[in-house]
Amino acid sequence: MQKVWAVLLLVAALAAGVLVYRQLQAPAEFSNVLIYPAPREMKSFQLTNHTGQPVSREQLNGHWTLAFVGYTFCPDICPMTMAMLSGSYAGLSEALPAGQKLQLWFVSVDPKRDTVAQLGNYVGYFEQPAIVGLTANHDQLFPFVRELGLMYAISTTTDEDYRVDHSASIVLLNPKGQLVAMFKPEMSLEQNAVPVVTKAQLLRDFPQVLKAVTP
């Protein structure tokens, strides 16, 4: 009987050890970060950057990429987020493995107003060489944005000062051009607070996300 109990205790100890090991090996969980269980492959796309050059999936290779969707006439979320990314760039780069680089993609979903010249002026305002402004016609933009796990919707109004509804999240793609994580705005109890990913939030979570998504 004692041998039976000894065996049961040994099995229980082994099971507990396996559980602890799995917990230690599991990616950290964040309240405002979505980490995909497996990297998501991006389909082919054709965009145009703020200097008028074509951009395809190949331009994702060899870089970590933080991508954000918006438009240059956006009154709050876009300028706040792009200024935050520009100001966070040095700190984010320090978290990367040695020899690896980070690029910042601003994907305009308002091709009617965001011409190449308009995008160029907008990107230049943030004085960050790592920022790439991108756009395309909606037949290219919509599936690309959907592949990123983001969204946008343009008002049907005829008013020239129209707004574009769009995601406020920022997505992370690895150097293989695969979607691996999404940083979401933290909820605020302040009235009329703009839902944006903050610098403190991104600098806090980015290093741990890198560890979780790097093989």
Side-chain angles (χ1 to χ4, degrees):
M1 188 67 176
Q2 290 181 343
K3 289 183 179 180
V4 173
W5 278 109
V7 171
L8 291 175
L9 288 173
L10 178 60
V11 170
L14 289 172
V18 169
L19 179 61
V20 170
Y21 176 80
R22 287 181 176 176
Q23 289 176 337
L24 291 175
Q25 296 300 310
E29 293 184 0
F30 309 94
S31 59
N32 292 92
V33 180
L34 169 64
I35 297 179
Y36 292 98
R40 297 177 60 177
E41 298 289 343
M42 294 291 294
K43 295 180 180 178
S44 298
F45 56 85
Q46 293 293 327
L47 307 175
T48 300
N49 71 14
H50 65 274
T51 65
Q53 300 301 309
V55 173
S56 64
R57 189 172 57 186
E58 284 66 35
Q59 275 69 53
L60 289 170
N61 295 333
H63 304 266
W64 290 92
T65 303
L66 285 171
F68 174 74
V69 168
Y71 64 115
T72 68
F73 289 83
C74 175
D76 41 36
I77 294 176
C78 299
M80 292 173 66
T81 299
M82 297 311 299
M84 181 277 293
L85 287 172
S86 178
S88 303
Y89 185 78
L92 296 171
S93 296
E94 290 176 359
L96 296 175
Q100 297 190 6
K101 295 183 178 181
L102 174 69
Q103 59 183 355
L104 309 174
W105 279 18
F106 172 70
V107 183
S108 168
V109 291
D110 185 15
K112 180 180 178 180
R113 293 181 294 185
D114 287 348
T115 61
V116 169
Q118 174 70 12
L119 270 178
N121 290 334
Y122 190 78
V123 167
Y125 174 80
F126 298 103
E127 299 182 340
Q128 174 51 256
I131 296 178
V132 181
L134 299 160
T135 193
N137 292 326
H138 292 296
D139 60 344
Q140 284 288 325
L141 280 173
F142 187 77
F144 174 66
V145 172
R146 183 177 56 195
E147 284 286 299
L148 292 177
L150 303 175
M151 58 74 65
Y152 72 94
I154 295 182
S155 172
T156 56
T157 180
T158 58
D159 188 347
E160 288 299 315
D161 189 28
Y162 58 85
R163 297 284 185 94
V164 179
D165 293 327
H166 61 88
S167 302
S169 298
I170 301 169
V171 296
L172 176 66
L173 298 104
N174 66 19
K176 295 181 180 179
Q178 300 167 320
L179 183 64
V180 292
M182 179 185 296
F183 298 88
K184 303 178 181 180
E186 292 182 334
M187 299 300 295
S188 175
L189 297 178
E190 295 182 13
Q191 189 175 9
N192 300 321
V194 179
V196 293
V197 177
T198 66
K199 182 176 182 179
Q201 173 192 351
L202 190 60
L203 291 177
R204 179 195 67 211
D205 292 342
F206 187 71
Q208 298 304 317
V209 171
L210 283 179
K211 292 179 182 178
V213 302
T214 301

